[in-house]
């Protein structure tokens, strides 16, 4: 049984069903989820039926597409409703991220070679990442750009109830602070996230996940949608990891856990505008933007790991601002190919998405979200207008900004912890000379040279054979010396790297949407070219940075938990190498993290005391945010031609 065949279940429903199980049944829950996953399902309207065995059926009733109450899951076994099957079905189904209107609104000392202040200051340098623009899940909040203070022990992290009294809100000089209920909800989220780090993916079964779901639901009720969304992301990734989903990446779970813990930590210490950012927004706001004259740039296919497909068309305003018009829904790559030739959902325009990518629009009553998405409300009027070539104003100005400035701007939006409402995008507009194909450890890519002589690796945006990306990049690799105007999406790396999305036609006439349009050998000036065994230069001052020594310890914690990290033993050789590279804070974080993972105190009778999960989670969070900040700094430096001497 594929979990996608089951309707989404509200987080509080799953949490309630698991909490109502007896301790004996909770121990059997993970096995029951696995067993239920092997059973067949059938759908009849709003009801999905699972055959538990030859005589027993389990039903999930989802009016409106979501199982919103515990009574909506029924089982025909003799132990129902106190059976394990109902909870197992809820745990096997996707977690629903309910909109606000759908929920009830309520009227240990560790050796540390650097100081705690230094560690916190280092983690503060993490630039805040826009939610992946290819994702169909809308961003719910802003991200945390603030430092993480690493305590020497769990006792240094005071409970929420022990924090300083809330200033009176009736004073004009006192900024708003989180309410006691919000701080309690944030503390519950912190504890649930720390429990995941303690257990690791292997130990974070249905019971641990239900604690996260309960905390997420409470946070939603307390008007903390950003933290709630982060908790749901962690649950989704945990389930993907435990199910062996091929699309799962440990780095994604690291980012989600760091977002959850960082947001929960900041709720109790933020105030005013910073608190509003930490709380986040449950819905993407669209604000009026008057009349817009838009010029098409290109259209890209959108195919997500969750089975959604569609397109996104990028357009530019006369002032250089970028906007998008999208159409993404369940359907995968087949839908993406079909939707590209459907009419754009914007006003009275009859243009298809691919036509809009080369034409123009005049829009009246436009509404725009913070990340540049154009709204399609009833008041929006749009008619077809003349487009512009990439070499004509106003589009030509997009290629005039130096690559290093474009990369710095893109990093602010593609960073792991960027502000979703901060605007900006992760696209780069470059004039390049193709150098040919180059082999890498993970395959091959196209090497090019942009302004300032900076070598740029151009990679495939999507490997799906139904799309044209791979074939087009392969053909372009066979034409060294060709000069092109390209549009790519920044890939954060210690060397300049982009996924290639669109380019000018090699003949100089028109443009190519590399996901949809297919180049032919006849379009290329030179059908034969050598394959370089390696790039001419390693690319970037951080190409050989030992930062990975800390990064891998951060990632190792996630699958195996704190105890596995604690068994690593002496890391002196690793910290020495990091210090020699000029990263003393990273060395201090590695020492403190491993020491915290290994430490287990005993009581007066020699019995082991519970591990300091709070202290370990705080060190882990500081290390995760620090590595992200340094990696982004190395990426930014790699794009700067003035750093040539450091390469």
């Amino acid at each position: 049984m594929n979990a996608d065949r089951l309707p989404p279940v509200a987080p509080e429903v799953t949490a309630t069903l698991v909490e109502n199980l007896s301790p004996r049944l909770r121990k059997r829950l993970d096995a029951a989820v696995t067993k239920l996953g092997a059973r067949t399902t059938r759908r009849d309207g709003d009801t999905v039926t699972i055959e538990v065995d030859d005589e027993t059926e389990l039903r999930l009733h989802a009016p409106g597409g979501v199982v919103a109450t515990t009574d909506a899951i029924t089982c025909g076994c003799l132990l129902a409703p106190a059976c394990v099957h109902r909870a197992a079905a809820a745990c096997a189904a996707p977690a629903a991220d309910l909109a606000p209107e759908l929920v009830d609104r309520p009227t240990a000392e560790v050796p540390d070679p650097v100081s705690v202040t230094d560690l916190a200051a280092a983690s503060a340098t993490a630039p805040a990442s826009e939610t992946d623009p290819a994702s169909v899940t809308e961003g719910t909040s802003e991200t945390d750009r603030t430092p993480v203070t690493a305590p020497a022990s769990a006792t240094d992290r005071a409970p929420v109830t022990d924090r300083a009294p809330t200033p009176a809100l009736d004073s004009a000089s006192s900024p708003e602070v989180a309410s006691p209920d919000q701080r309690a909800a944030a503390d519950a989220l912190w504890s649930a996230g720390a429990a995941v780090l303690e257990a690791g993916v292997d130990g974070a079964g249905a019971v641990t996940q239900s604690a996260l779901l309960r905390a997420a639901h409470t946070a939603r009720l307390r008007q903390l949608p950003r933290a709630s969304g982060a908790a749901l992301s962690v649950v989704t990734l945990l389930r993907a990891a435990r199910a062996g989903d091929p699309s799962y990446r440990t780095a994604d779970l690291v980012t989600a856990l760091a977002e959850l813990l960082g947001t929960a930590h900041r709720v109790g210490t933020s105030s005013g505008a910073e608190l509003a950012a930490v709380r986040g927004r449950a819905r993407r706001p669209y604000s009026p933007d008057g009349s817009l004259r838009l010029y098409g740039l290109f259209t890209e296919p959108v195919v997500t790991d969750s089975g959604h497909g569609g397109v996104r068309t990028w357009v530019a305003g006369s002032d250089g601002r970028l906007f998008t018009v999208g159409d993404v829904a369940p359907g995968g790559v087949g839908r993406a190919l079909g939707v590209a030739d459907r009419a754009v959902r914007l006003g009275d325009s009859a243009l298809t998405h691919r036509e809009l990518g080369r034409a123009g629009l005049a829009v009246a009553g436009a509404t725009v979200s913070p990340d540049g998405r154009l709204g399609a409300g009833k008041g929006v009027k749009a008619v077809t207008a003349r487009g512009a070539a990439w070499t004509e104003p106003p589009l030509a100005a997009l290629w005039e900004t130096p690559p290093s400035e474009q990369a710095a701007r893109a990093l602010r939006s593609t960073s792991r912890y960027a502000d979703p409402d901060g605007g900006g995008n992760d696209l780069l507009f470059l004039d390049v000379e193709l150098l040919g194909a180059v082999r890498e450890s993970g395959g091959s890519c196209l090497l090019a040279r942009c302004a300032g002589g900076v070598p740029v690796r151009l990679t495939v945006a999507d490997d799906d054979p139904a799309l044209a990306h791979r074939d087009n990049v392969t053909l372009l690799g066979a034409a060294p010396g060709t000069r092109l105007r390209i549009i790519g999406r920044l890939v954060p790396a210690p060397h300049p790297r982009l996924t290639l999305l669109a380019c000018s036609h090699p003949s100089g006439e028109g443009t190519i949407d590399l996901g949809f349009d297919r180049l032919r050998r006849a379009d290329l000036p030179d059908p034969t070219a050598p394959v370089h065994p390696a790039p001419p230069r390693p690319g970037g001052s951080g190409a050989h940075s030992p930062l990975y020594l800390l990064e891998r310890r951060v990632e190792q914690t996630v699958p195996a938990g704190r105890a596995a990290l604690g068994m690593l033993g002496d890391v002196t050789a690793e910290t020495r190498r990091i210090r020699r590279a000029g990263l003393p804070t990273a060395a201090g974080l590695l020492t403190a993290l491993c020491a915290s993972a290994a430490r287990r105190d005993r009581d007066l009778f020699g019995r082991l005391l519970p591990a300091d999960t709070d202290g370990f989670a705080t060190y882990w969070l500081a290390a995760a945010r620090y590595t992200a900040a340094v990696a982004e700094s190395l990426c930014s430096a790699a794009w700067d031609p003035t750093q040539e001497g450091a390469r």
Side-chain angles (χ1 to χ4, degrees):
M1 176 186 68
N2 192 322
D4 293 338
R5 300 179 184 175
L6 299 179
V9 177
E12 69 274 19
V13 171
T14 303
T16 299
L17 290 174
V18 173
E19 291 164 358
N20 289 341
L21 291 176
S22 66
R24 179 180 62 86
L25 290 181
R26 288 190 189 185
K27 294 179 181 179
R28 297 171 51 189
L29 182 56
D30 288 329
V33 172
T34 302
K35 184 176 180 180
L36 208 61
R39 310 305 297 178
T40 58
T41 63
R42 64 177 185 274
R43 182 181 292 272
D44 183 12
D46 292 333
T47 301
V48 174
T49 302
I50 306 173
E51 296 180 0
V52 178
D53 54 41
D54 294 339
E55 300 178 355
T56 306
E57 291 184 338
L58 182 67
R59 292 184 174 86
L60 291 83
H61 185 54
V66 175
V67 178
T69 65
T70 56
D71 294 338
I73 302 180
T74 59
C75 183
C77 74
L78 296 177
L79 295 178
C83 63
V84 74
H85 302 132
R86 297 171 68 222
C91 292
D97 189 2
L98 297 183
E101 59 269 22
L102 298 181
V103 297
D104 297 325
R105 296 194 179 199
T107 46
E109 185 174 359
V110 178
D112 190 355
V114 293
S115 70
V116 168
T117 303
D118 290 338
L119 298 182
S123 65
T125 61
S129 143
E130 179 178 355
T131 304
D132 183 359
S135 171
V136 297
T137 303
E138 297 190 348
T140 60
S141 62
E142 300 184 9
T143 52
D144 179 18
R145 297 186 180 210
T146 52
V148 178
T149 303
S153 69
T155 57
D156 293 335
R157 183 179 182 273
V160 170
T161 54
D162 294 338
R163 290 173 181 160
T166 300
L169 296 182
D170 56 358
S171 171
S173 61
S174 299
E176 182 185 10
V177 296
S179 68
D181 283 346
Q182 287 179 328
R183 287 183 285 173
D187 219 39
L189 283 167
W190 173 278
S191 298
V196 173
L197 282 177
E198 174 69 19
V201 169
D202 295 339
V207 175
T208 301
Q209 294 168 25
S210 72
L212 269 171
L213 292 173
R214 172 61 71 194
H217 175 63
T218 302
R220 176 75 71 173
L221 294 178
R222 302 293 183 260
Q223 308 305 306
L224 298 173
R226 171 185 169 186
S228 176
L232 293 181
S233 295
V234 172
V235 171
T236 300
L237 289 166
L238 281 173
R239 291 177 175 177
R242 292 174 63 85
D245 189 333
S247 65
Y248 166 77
R249 294 173 62 250
T250 300
D252 293 337
L253 185 50
V254 169
T255 300
L257 270 171
E259 169 69 7
L260 169 62
L261 292 170
T263 304
H265 177 81
R266 294 302 302 165
V267 167
T269 58
S270 303
S271 61
E274 183 183 358
L275 176 61
V278 172
R279 284 173 174 164
R281 292 189 176 101
R283 285 185 176 273
R284 175 183 288 105
Y286 283 82
S287 57
D289 207 339
S291 298
L292 295 174
R293 179 66 169 89
L294 304 175
Y295 300 85
L297 278 167
F298 72 101
T299 299
E300 64 171 320
V302 177
V303 182
T304 71
D305 295 333
S306 60
H308 290 71
V311 297
R312 180 186 298 105
T313 298
W314 290 82
V315 296
S318 55
D319 58 357
R321 286 187 298 162
L322 297 187
F323 305 91
T324 60
V325 182
D327 184 349
V328 180
V333 67
R335 187 178 188 279
L337 293 171
V339 169
D341 293 315
R342 294 184 189 175
V344 174
R345 299 175 183 175
L346 195 67
D348 300 323
S349 171
L351 291 173
T352 66
H353 279 274
R354 295 180 68 180
E355 290 171 342
L356 175 58
R358 294 173 173 84
L361 278 180
V363 183
T367 58
V368 183
S369 71
D371 62 354
R373 300 191 190 192
L374 292 169
K378 295 181 179 179
V380 178
K381 307 297 181 184
V383 295
T384 303
R386 177 186 175 276
W390 288 2
T391 54
E392 299 174 352
L395 299 186
L398 296 172
W399 279 265
E400 294 174 0
T401 303
S404 59
E405 294 182 20
Q406 294 191 52
R409 181 258 305 153
L411 266 175
R412 289 193 291 271
S413 63
T414 198
S415 165
R416 295 182 190 178
Y417 308 103
D419 175 2
D421 291 338
N425 60 81
D426 55 0
L427 299 185
L428 269 68
F429 302 83
L430 304 177
D431 288 309
V432 301
E433 178 186 356
L434 301 184
L435 302 179
V438 59
R439 295 189 182 94
E440 295 185 313
S441 58
S444 63
C445 67
L446 177 59
L447 193 67
R449 182 185 294 110
C450 68
V454 177
V456 182
R457 291 168 178 162
L458 307 176
T459 62
V460 175
D462 194 312
D463 264 320
D464 194 303
L467 300 175
H469 290 295
R470 171 61 67 185
D471 292 342
N472 285 334
V473 171
T474 300
L475 278 176
L476 290 174
T482 303
R483 296 182 180 273
L484 296 175
R485 181 157 279 193
I486 67 169
I487 302 176
R489 176 166 289 119
L490 179 71
V491 178
H495 53 265
R497 192 177 190 90
L498 300 176
T499 54
L500 194 55
L501 302 174
C503 69
S504 58
H505 196 283
S507 67
E509 299 292 332
T511 60
I512 301 292
D513 293 338
L514 291 169
F516 294 114
D517 304 326
R518 292 188 179 272
L519 286 166
R520 299 170 300 173
R521 289 194 176 275
D523 297 324
L524 304 178
D526 182 3
T528 62
V531 176
H532 299 286
R537 286 177 288 183
S541 58
H544 303 292
S545 169
L547 183 67
Y548 76 91
L549 296 172
L550 177 59
E551 287 177 326
R552 71 178 182 181
R553 299 309 183 195
V554 170
E555 290 197 0
Q556 283 174 347
T557 306
V558 172
R562 175 198 56 78
L565 192 64
M567 293 187 294
L568 291 176
D570 186 21
V571 292
T572 302
E574 295 181 8
T575 57
R576 186 183 300 115
R577 180 178 174 187
I578 295 174
R579 286 182 184 280
R580 284 201 301 264
L583 298 171
T585 303
L589 279 168
L590 178 58
T591 301
L593 179 66
C594 293
S596 179
R599 180 183 176 188
R600 289 294 302 274
D601 291 334
R602 296 180 180 271
D603 62 15
L604 294 176
F605 299 98
R607 295 171 298 192
L608 281 174
L609 294 174
D612 178 11
T613 56
D614 275 0
F616 176 73
T618 308
Y619 277 115
W620 182 90
L621 174 60
R625 295 299 300 266
Y626 172 85
T627 55
V630 175
E632 288 156 11
S633 296
L634 293 175
C635 177
S636 179
W639 282 92
D640 189 350
T642 63
Q643 300 292 324
E644 181 70 24
R647 290 184 183 143

